[in-house]
Amino acid sequence: MLHSLVILFTIIPLASFSWGLQRHFRAPDGMPSGMRALTAASTIASALFLYLVVTRGVAGVPAAGFIALSCASTALFWWAVRATSHRPPQLAHSEADPDALHQEGPYAYVRHPFYLAYCLFWFGTGVAAGGIQWLVATPLIIWYFAIAKTEERRFLTTSMAASYTEYRCRTGMIVPKVHGMLRR
């Protein structure tokens, strides 16, 4: 039963992320090559995780940890979709400068809630499968941090630079600032 739940809670966030890629994020110039590479790496990591779950199984605390992180990841993803539904963000690795500063919903706590959602999912796969899964999950998490840093620099070159600088003082990049949360 737990084995089946782990598979289900793998499919749900991955289907959500795929939906976002196809239906939510803006890509005026088509899918950037960096996003193609990230999608390929994520596909390989997902296949490895599912292979490990099916062949080795996962149980107990690691399985429960994965399910909790998967649920948190999916909930955060859809909360961020809702917060950006009026003006979806551009696809990762886009060459275009940011043109909207979201500060509502999960953006009130972190500047990159979509990346946090992806990182929670990949962290969960490492918790559940351990070993070799960490070898693919860790680079993906680092990749999301790198994308976020690049986007941060781009924001600072736009007309929103002053607003973004003030926003950065209140919120964490991917991990919420505890002192900012306590002031709410």
Side-chain angles (χ1 to χ4, degrees), residues 77-137:
F77 175 85
W78 287 106
W79 189 20
V81 165
R82 183 173 180 195
T84 59
S85 62
H86 64 285
R87 180 78 172 155
Q90 296 181 41
L91 199 55
H93 290 291
S94 172
E95 292 298 319
D97 284 336
D99 58 2
L101 177 56
H102 300 285
Q103 298 183 55
E104 302 299 321
Y107 287 90
Y109 304 98
V110 293
R111 296 186 302 275
H112 301 280
F114 284 109
Y115 298 149
L116 174 55
Y118 308 144
C119 290
L120 288 171
F121 175 78
W122 291 116
F123 186 80
T125 67
V127 167
I132 194 167
Q133 185 64 27
W134 281 115
L135 295 177
V136 295

Side-chain angles (χ1 to χ4, degrees), residues 2-3 6-7 49-60 62-63 128-130:
L2 194 54
H3 182 83
V6 168
I7 292 171
F49 179 66
L50 288 169
Y51 172 79
L52 293 171
V53 168
V54 169
T55 60
R56 296 184 185 171
V58 62

